[in-house]
């Protein structure tokens, strides 16, 4: 498992970290950009809405690449955040929806220790709805 702590100013480094580890975990070249987008969306949410500092952890397991973003913020989850796209006039709210379009699985847990968003992507198969 590889870890990176970050702030909003370090989001470019988060994208580089995600790309570097996707390559290390042998993610198909055509999927690397997708994974970087999903990680960036959730990492941005973490430091914009959760807490000033967050952490990204990545690893490979059973043909999947997993990225977990953890911040110290808590929130009340709707039934399925990001299950439907935000309306066209929305000025935000795309991050979780975008991640759900890219990843094979997105899970969110929140509690006293903060919020963890787990992204899973098959290293070879695209998932767009």
């Amino acid at each position: 498992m590889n870890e990176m702590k970050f702030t909003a100013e370090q989001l470019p480094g988060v994208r580089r970290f995600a790309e570097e580890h996707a390559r290390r975990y042998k993610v198909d070249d055509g999927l690397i950009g997708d994974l970087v987008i999903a990680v960036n969306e959730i990492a941005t949410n973490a430091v914009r809405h959760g807490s000033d500092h967050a952490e990204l952890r990545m690893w490979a397991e059973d043909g999947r690449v997993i990225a977990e973003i953890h911040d110290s913020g808590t929130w009340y989850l709707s039934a399925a955040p990001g299950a439907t796209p935000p309306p066209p006039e929305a000025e935000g709210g795309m991050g979780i929806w975008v991640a759900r379009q890219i990843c094979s699985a997105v899970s969110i847990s929140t509690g006293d220790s903060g919020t963890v968003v787990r992204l899973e992507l098959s290293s070879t198969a695209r998932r767009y709805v």
Side-chain angles (χ1 to χ4, degrees), residues 1-100:
M1 181 180 323
N2 295 283
E3 301 177 359
M4 175 188 183
K5 294 182 191 267
F6 63 94
T7 64
E9 294 78 28
Q10 295 167 315
L11 286 169
V14 168
R15 293 188 292 273
R16 286 189 298 274
F17 181 93
E19 179 179 0
E20 173 187 324
H21 288 87
R23 290 188 190 288
R24 180 177 296 161
Y25 300 140
K26 308 289 188 227
V27 171
D28 182 84
D29 284 343
L31 297 174
I32 291 173
D34 291 346
L35 179 62
V36 170
I37 288 168
V39 168
N40 183 67
E41 289 292 330
I42 302 306
T44 299
N45 283 354
V47 293
R48 181 175 289 161
H49 305 296
S51 56
D52 292 341
H53 294 79
E55 182 177 15
L56 167 62
R57 292 180 288 181
M58 289 183 70
W59 67 95
E61 180 178 290
D62 299 328
R64 299 169 295 144
V65 173
I66 300 166
E68 282 187 352
I69 296 95
H70 179 246
D71 64 60
S72 60
T74 59
W75 54 307
Y76 296 100
L77 297 174
S78 64
T84 58
E89 66 275 5
E91 293 185 23
M94 300 283 292
I96 296 172
W97 183 78
V98 166
R100 287 191 188 280

